[in-house]
Amino acid sequence: MDELQLDAVYALMKVGARLLFVRGIVHSPLAVLEHSGHYITVDADGRIDLHPALHIRNH
């Protein structure tokens, strides 16, 4: 994760979001967070998507 992405993730965590995982760490990492039952993603450029089109499997 680079600086822009980290800044965005930290800002979301300050308002209560929880970092779940980072996908694709080597090429274009995507941080996936959860807040109030909704998923949020942050791309490598720090862009936040409040309504990402993704499906996360349950264990």
Side-chain angles (χ1 to χ4, degrees):
M1 293 174 59
D2 71 11
E3 190 174 336
L4 291 174
Q5 189 175 30
L6 282 172
D7 288 346
V9 168
Y10 288 145
L12 288 167
M13 291 176 71
K14 284 181 181 178
V15 297
R18 180 173 58 108
L19 179 64
L20 299 177
F21 59 90
V22 179
R23 181 174 68 183
I25 293 172
V26 176
H27 300 289
S28 189
L30 183 71
V32 179
L33 300 94
E34 181 273 331
H35 187 267
S36 299
H38 299 341
Y39 294 115
I40 303 168
T41 59
V42 180
D43 69 14
D45 294 325
R47 288 185 296 254
I48 298 170
D49 186 348
L50 298 175
H51 303 286
L54 61 95
H55 176 76
I56 297 177
R57 296 178 291 200
N58 291 328
H59 294 283

Coordinates of all heavy atoms in Angstrom, one line a residue:
M1 N 0.8 -1.2 0.0 CA 0.0 0.0 0.0 C 0.9 1.2 0.0 O 1.9 1.3 0.7 CB -0.9 0.0 1.2 CG -1.9 -1.1 1.2 SD -2.9 -1.3 2.7 CE -3.7 0.2 2.9
D2 N 0.5 2.2 -0.8 CA 1.3 3.4 -0.9 C 0.7 4.5 0.0 O -0.4 4.3 0.7 CB 1.5 3.9 -2.3 CG 0.3 4.5 -2.9 OD1 -0.7 4.7 -2.3 OD2 0.3 4.7 -4.2
E3 N 1.3 5.7 0.1 CA 0.9 6.7 1.0 C -0.6 7.2 0.8 O -1.3 7.4 1.8 CB 1.8 7.9 0.8 CG 1.7 8.9 1.9 CD 2.7 10.0 1.8 OE1 3.8 9.8 1.3 OE2 2.4 11.1 2.4
L4 N -1.0 7.4 -0.5 CA -2.4 7.9 -0.7 C -3.4 6.8 -0.2 O -4.4 7.2 0.4 CB -2.6 8.1 -2.2 CG -1.8 9.3 -2.8 CD1 -2.0 9.4 -4.3 CD2 -2.3 10.6 -2.1
Q5 N -3.1 5.6 -0.5 CA -4.0 4.5 0.0 C -4.1 4.4 1.5 O -5.1 4.3 2.1 CB -3.6 3.2 -0.7 CG -4.7 2.1 -0.4 CD -4.3 0.8 -1.2 OE1 -3.1 0.5 -1.4 NE2 -5.3 0.1 -1.6
L6 N -2.9 4.5 2.1 CA -2.8 4.4 3.6 C -3.6 5.6 4.2 O -4.3 5.4 5.2 CB -1.4 4.4 4.0 CG -0.6 3.1 3.9 CD1 0.8 3.3 4.2 CD2 -1.2 2.0 4.8
D7 N -3.4 6.8 3.7 CA -4.1 8.0 4.2 C -5.6 7.8 4.2 O -6.3 8.1 5.2 CB -3.7 9.2 3.5 CG -2.3 9.7 3.8 OD1 -1.7 9.2 4.8 OD2 -1.8 10.5 3.0
A8 N -6.1 7.3 3.1 CA -7.6 7.0 2.9 C -8.0 6.0 3.9 O -9.1 6.1 4.5 CB -7.9 6.7 1.5
V9 N -7.3 4.9 4.0 CA -7.7 3.8 4.9 C -7.7 4.3 6.3 O -8.6 4.1 7.1 CB -6.7 2.6 4.7 CG1 -6.9 1.6 5.9 CG2 -7.0 1.9 3.4
Y10 N -6.7 5.0 6.8 CA -6.6 5.6 8.1 C -7.8 6.5 8.4 O -8.3 6.5 9.5 CB -5.3 6.3 8.4 CG -4.1 5.3 8.5 CD1 -2.8 5.7 8.1 CD2 -4.2 4.0 9.1 CE1 -1.8 4.8 8.2 CE2 -3.2 3.2 9.3 CZ -1.9 3.6 8.8 OH -0.9 2.7 9.0
A11 N -8.1 7.3 7.4 CA -9.2 8.3 7.6 C -10.5 7.5 7.8 O -11.3 7.9 8.6 CB -9.3 9.2 6.4
L12 N -10.7 6.4 7.0 CA -11.9 5.6 7.2 C -12.0 4.9 8.5 O -13.0 4.8 9.2 CB -12.0 4.6 6.1 CG -12.4 5.2 4.7 CD1 -12.2 4.2 3.6 CD2 -13.8 5.7 4.7
M13 N -10.8 4.5 9.0 CA -10.7 3.8 10.3 C -11.0 4.8 11.4 O -11.6 4.4 12.4 CB -9.4 3.1 10.4 CG -9.2 1.9 9.5 SD -7.6 1.2 9.6 CE -7.7 0.4 11.2
K14 N -10.7 6.0 11.3 CA -11.0 7.0 12.3 C -12.5 7.2 12.5 O -12.9 7.6 13.6 CB -10.3 8.4 12.0 CG -8.8 8.4 12.2 CD -8.3 9.7 11.9 CE -6.8 9.7 12.1 NZ -6.2 11.0 11.7
V15 N -13.3 6.9 11.4 CA -14.7 7.1 11.6 C -15.4 5.7 11.8 O -16.6 5.6 11.7 CB -15.3 7.8 10.3 CG1 -14.8 9.2 10.2 CG2 -15.1 7.0 9.1
G16 N -14.6 4.7 12.2 CA -15.2 3.5 12.6 C -15.1 2.3 11.6 O -15.6 1.2 11.9
A17 N -14.5 2.5 10.5 CA -14.4 1.4 9.5 C -13.3 0.4 10.0 O -12.4 0.8 10.7 CB -14.0 1.9 8.1
R18 N -13.5 -0.8 9.6 CA -12.6 -1.9 10.0 C -11.9 -2.5 8.8 O -12.6 -2.9 7.9 CB -13.3 -3.0 10.8 CG -12.6 -4.1 11.3 CD -13.4 -5.0 12.2 NE -14.6 -5.5 11.5 CZ -14.7 -6.8 11.1 NH1 -13.8 -7.6 11.3 NH2 -15.8 -7.1 10.4
L19 N -10.6 -2.5 8.8 CA -9.9 -3.1 7.6 C -10.0 -4.6 7.7 O -9.7 -5.2 8.7 CB -8.4 -2.7 7.7 CG -7.5 -3.3 6.6 CD1 -7.9 -2.8 5.2 CD2 -6.0 -2.9 6.8
L20 N -10.5 -5.2 6.6 CA -10.7 -6.6 6.5 C -9.5 -7.3 5.9 O -9.0 -8.3 6.5 CB -12.0 -7.0 5.7 CG -13.3 -6.5 6.3 CD1 -14.4 -6.8 5.4 CD2 -13.5 -7.0 7.7
F21 N -9.1 -6.8 4.8 CA -7.9 -7.4 4.1 C -7.5 -6.5 2.9 O -8.2 -5.6 2.6 CB -8.2 -8.8 3.6 CG -9.3 -8.9 2.6 CD1 -9.1 -8.8 1.2 CD2 -10.6 -9.2 3.1 CE1 -10.2 -8.9 0.3 CE2 -11.7 -9.3 2.2 CZ -11.4 -9.2 0.8
V22 N -6.3 -6.8 2.4 CA -5.8 -6.1 1.2 C -5.6 -7.2 0.1 O -4.9 -8.2 0.4 CB -4.5 -5.4 1.5 CG1 -4.0 -4.7 0.2 CG2 -4.7 -4.4 2.6
R23 N -6.2 -7.0 -1.0 CA -6.1 -8.0 -2.1 C -5.2 -7.5 -3.2 O -5.1 -6.3 -3.4 CB -7.5 -8.2 -2.7 CG -7.6 -9.2 -3.8 CD -9.0 -9.4 -4.3 NE -9.5 -8.2 -4.9 CZ -10.8 -8.1 -5.3 NH1 -11.6 -9.1 -5.2 NH2 -11.2 -7.0 -5.9
G24 N -4.4 -8.4 -3.8 CA -3.5 -8.0 -4.8 C -2.4 -7.1 -4.3 O -2.2 -6.0 -4.9
I25 N -1.7 -7.5 -3.4 CA -0.7 -6.7 -2.7 C 0.4 -6.2 -3.6 O 0.9 -5.1 -3.6 CB -0.1 -7.4 -1.5 CG1 -1.1 -7.6 -0.4 CG2 1.1 -6.7 -0.9 CD1 -0.8 -8.5 0.7
V26 N 0.9 -7.1 -4.6 CA 2.0 -6.7 -5.5 C 1.5 -5.7 -6.6 O 2.2 -4.7 -6.8 CB 2.6 -8.0 -6.1 CG1 3.7 -7.6 -7.1 CG2 3.1 -8.9 -5.0
H27 N 0.5 -6.0 -7.3 CA 0.0 -5.2 -8.4 C -1.4 -4.6 -8.0 O -2.3 -5.3 -7.8 CB -0.2 -6.0 -9.7 CG 1.1 -6.6 -10.1 ND1 2.2 -5.9 -10.6 CD2 1.6 -7.9 -10.1 CE1 3.2 -6.7 -10.9 NE2 2.8 -7.9 -10.6
S28 N -1.4 -3.3 -8.0 CA -2.6 -2.6 -7.7 C -3.4 -3.1 -6.5 O -4.5 -3.6 -6.6 CB -3.5 -2.6 -9.0 OG -4.6 -1.7 -8.8
P29 N -2.9 -2.9 -5.3 CA -3.5 -3.4 -4.1 C -4.9 -2.7 -3.9 O -5.1 -1.5 -4.2 CB -2.6 -3.0 -3.0 CG -1.7 -1.9 -3.5 CD -1.7 -2.1 -5.0
L30 N -5.8 -3.5 -3.4 CA -7.2 -3.0 -3.1 C -7.5 -3.3 -1.6 O -7.5 -4.5 -1.2 CB -8.2 -3.7 -4.0 CG -9.6 -3.2 -3.8 CD1 -9.8 -1.8 -4.4 CD2 -10.6 -4.2 -4.5
A31 N -7.6 -2.3 -0.8 CA -8.0 -2.4 0.6 C -9.5 -2.6 0.7 O -10.2 -1.8 0.1 CB -7.5 -1.2 1.4
V32 N -9.9 -3.6 1.5 CA -11.3 -3.8 1.7 C -11.6 -3.6 3.2 O -11.0 -4.2 4.0 CB -11.7 -5.3 1.3 CG1 -13.2 -5.5 1.5 CG2 -11.4 -5.5 -0.2
L33 N -12.6 -2.7 3.4 CA -13.0 -2.4 4.8 C -14.5 -2.7 4.9 O -15.2 -2.8 3.9 CB -12.7 -0.9 5.1 CG -11.2 -0.5 5.0 CD1 -10.9 0.1 3.6 CD2 -10.9 0.6 6.0
E34 N -14.9 -2.7 6.2 CA -16.3 -2.8 6.5 C -16.7 -1.7 7.5 O -15.9 -1.4 8.4 CB -16.5 -4.2 7.2 CG -18.0 -4.5 7.5 CD -18.4 -4.0 8.9 OE1 -17.5 -3.9 9.8 OE2 -19.5 -3.6 9.1
H35 N -17.9 -1.1 7.3 CA -18.4 -0.1 8.2 C -19.9 -0.2 8.2 O -20.6 -0.2 7.1 CB -18.0 1.3 7.7 CG -18.4 2.3 8.7 ND1 -19.5 3.0 8.6 CD2 -17.7 2.8 9.8 CE1 -19.6 3.9 9.6 NE2 -18.5 3.8 10.3
S36 N -20.5 -0.5 9.4 CA -21.9 -0.6 9.5 C -22.6 -1.6 8.6 O -23.6 -1.3 8.0 CB -22.6 0.8 9.4 OG -22.1 1.7 10.3
G37 N -21.9 -2.7 8.4 CA -22.4 -3.8 7.6 C -22.2 -3.6 6.1 O -22.7 -4.4 5.3
H38 N -21.6 -2.5 5.7 CA -21.3 -2.3 4.2 C -19.8 -2.4 4.0 O -19.0 -2.0 4.8 CB -21.8 -0.9 3.8 CG -23.3 -0.7 4.0 ND1 -24.2 -1.7 4.2 CD2 -24.0 0.5 4.1 CE1 -25.4 -1.2 4.3 NE2 -25.3 0.2 4.3
Y39 N -19.5 -2.8 2.8 CA -18.1 -2.9 2.3 C -17.7 -1.6 1.7 O -18.5 -0.9 1.0 CB -17.9 -4.1 1.4 CG -18.1 -5.4 2.0 CD1 -19.2 -6.2 1.6 CD2 -17.3 -5.8 3.1 CE1 -19.4 -7.4 2.2 CE2 -17.5 -7.1 3.7 CZ -18.6 -7.8 3.3 OH -18.8 -9.1 3.9
I40 N -16.4 -1.3 1.9 CA -15.8 -0.1 1.3 C -14.5 -0.5 0.7 O -13.8 -1.3 1.3 CB -15.5 1.0 2.3 CG1 -16.8 1.4 3.0 CG2 -14.8 2.2 1.7 CD1 -16.6 2.3 4.3
T41 N -14.1 -0.1 -0.5 CA -12.8 -0.4 -1.0 C -12.0 0.9 -1.2 O -12.6 2.0 -1.4 CB -12.8 -1.1 -2.3 OG1 -13.6 -0.4 -3.3 CG2 -13.5 -2.5 -2.2
V42 N -10.7 0.8 -1.1 CA -9.8 1.9 -1.4 C -8.7 1.4 -2.4 O -8.0 0.4 -2.0 CB -9.1 2.4 -0.1 CG1 -8.2 3.6 -0.4 CG2 -10.1 2.8 0.9
D43 N -8.6 2.0 -3.5 CA -7.6 1.5 -4.5 C -6.2 2.1 -4.2 O -6.0 2.9 -3.3 CB -8.1 1.8 -6.0 CG -8.1 3.3 -6.3 OD1 -7.5 4.1 -5.6 OD2 -8.7 3.6 -7.4
A44 N -5.3 1.7 -5.1 CA -3.9 2.1 -4.9 C -3.7 3.7 -4.9 O -2.7 4.2 -4.4 CB -3.0 1.4 -5.9
D45 N -4.6 4.4 -5.6 CA -4.5 5.8 -5.7 C -5.2 6.5 -4.6 O -5.3 7.8 -4.6 CB -5.0 6.3 -7.1 CG -4.2 5.8 -8.2 OD1 -2.9 5.7 -8.1 OD2 -4.7 5.5 -9.3
G46 N -5.8 5.8 -3.7 CA -6.5 6.4 -2.6 C -8.0 6.7 -2.8 O -8.6 7.3 -2.0
R47 N -8.5 6.2 -4.0 CA -9.9 6.5 -4.3 C -10.8 5.5 -3.5 O -10.6 4.3 -3.5 CB -10.2 6.3 -5.8 CG -9.6 7.4 -6.6 CD -10.0 7.3 -8.1 NE -9.4 6.1 -8.7 CZ -8.4 6.0 -9.5 NH1 -7.8 7.1 -9.9 NH2 -7.9 4.9 -10.0
I48 N -11.8 6.1 -2.9 CA -12.7 5.3 -2.0 C -14.0 5.0 -2.8 O -14.6 5.9 -3.4 CB -13.1 6.2 -0.8 CG1 -11.8 6.4 0.1 CG2 -14.1 5.5 0.1 CD1 -12.0 7.5 1.2
D49 N -14.4 3.7 -2.7 CA -15.6 3.3 -3.3 C -16.5 2.9 -2.2 O -16.3 1.8 -1.6 CB -15.4 2.2 -4.3 CG -16.6 1.8 -5.1 OD1 -17.7 2.2 -4.7 OD2 -16.5 1.0 -6.1
L50 N -17.6 3.6 -2.0 CA -18.5 3.3 -0.9 C -19.5 2.2 -1.3 O -20.2 1.7 -0.4 CB -19.3 4.6 -0.5 CG -18.4 5.7 0.1 CD1 -19.2 6.9 0.4 CD2 -17.7 5.2 1.3
H51 N -19.6 1.9 -2.6 CA -20.6 0.9 -3.0 C -19.9 0.0 -4.1 O -20.3 -0.1 -5.2 CB -21.8 1.5 -3.7 CG -22.5 2.5 -2.7 ND1 -23.3 2.0 -1.7 CD2 -22.5 3.8 -2.7 CE1 -23.7 3.1 -1.0 NE2 -23.3 4.2 -1.6
P52 N -18.8 -0.8 -3.6 CA -18.1 -1.6 -4.6 C -18.9 -2.8 -5.0 O -19.8 -3.3 -4.2 CB -16.9 -2.1 -3.8 CG -17.3 -2.1 -2.3 CD -18.3 -0.9 -2.3
A53 N -18.7 -3.2 -6.2 CA -19.4 -4.4 -6.8 C -18.5 -5.6 -6.5 O -17.7 -6.0 -7.3 CB -19.6 -4.3 -8.3
L54 N -18.5 -6.1 -5.3 CA -17.7 -7.3 -4.9 C -18.5 -8.2 -4.0 O -19.5 -7.8 -3.3 CB -16.4 -6.9 -4.3 CG -16.4 -6.1 -3.0 CD1 -16.3 -7.1 -1.8 CD2 -15.3 -5.2 -2.9
H55 N -18.1 -9.5 -4.0 CA -18.8 -10.5 -3.2 C -17.7 -11.1 -2.3 O -16.7 -11.6 -2.9 CB -19.5 -11.6 -4.0 CG -20.0 -12.7 -3.2 ND1 -21.2 -12.5 -2.5 CD2 -19.6 -13.9 -3.0 CE1 -21.4 -13.6 -1.9 NE2 -20.5 -14.5 -2.2
I56 N -17.9 -11.2 -1.0 CA -16.9 -11.7 -0.1 C -17.5 -13.0 0.4 O -18.6 -13.0 1.0 CB -16.6 -10.7 1.0 CG1 -15.9 -9.5 0.4 CG2 -15.6 -11.4 2.0 CD1 -15.6 -8.4 1.4
R57 N -16.7 -14.1 0.3 CA -17.2 -15.4 0.8 C -17.1 -15.5 2.3 O -16.1 -14.9 2.9 CB -16.3 -16.5 0.2 CG -16.4 -16.7 -1.3 CD -15.5 -17.7 -1.7 NE -14.1 -17.2 -1.5 CZ -13.0 -17.7 -2.1 NH1 -13.1 -18.7 -2.9 NH2 -11.8 -17.2 -1.8
N58 N -18.0 -16.1 2.9 CA -17.9 -16.4 4.4 C -17.1 -17.7 4.6 O -17.2 -18.6 3.8 CB -19.3 -16.5 5.0 CG -20.0 -15.2 5.0 OD1 -19.5 -14.2 5.1 ND2 -21.4 -15.3 4.8
H59 N -16.5 -17.8 5.7 CA -15.7 -19.0 6.0 C -16.6 -20.1 6.6 O -17.5 -19.9 7.3 CB -14.6 -18.7 7.0 CG -13.5 -17.8 6.4 ND1 -12.6 -18.3 5.5 CD2 -13.3 -16.5 6.5 CE1 -11.8 -17.3 5.1 NE2 -12.2 -16.2 5.7

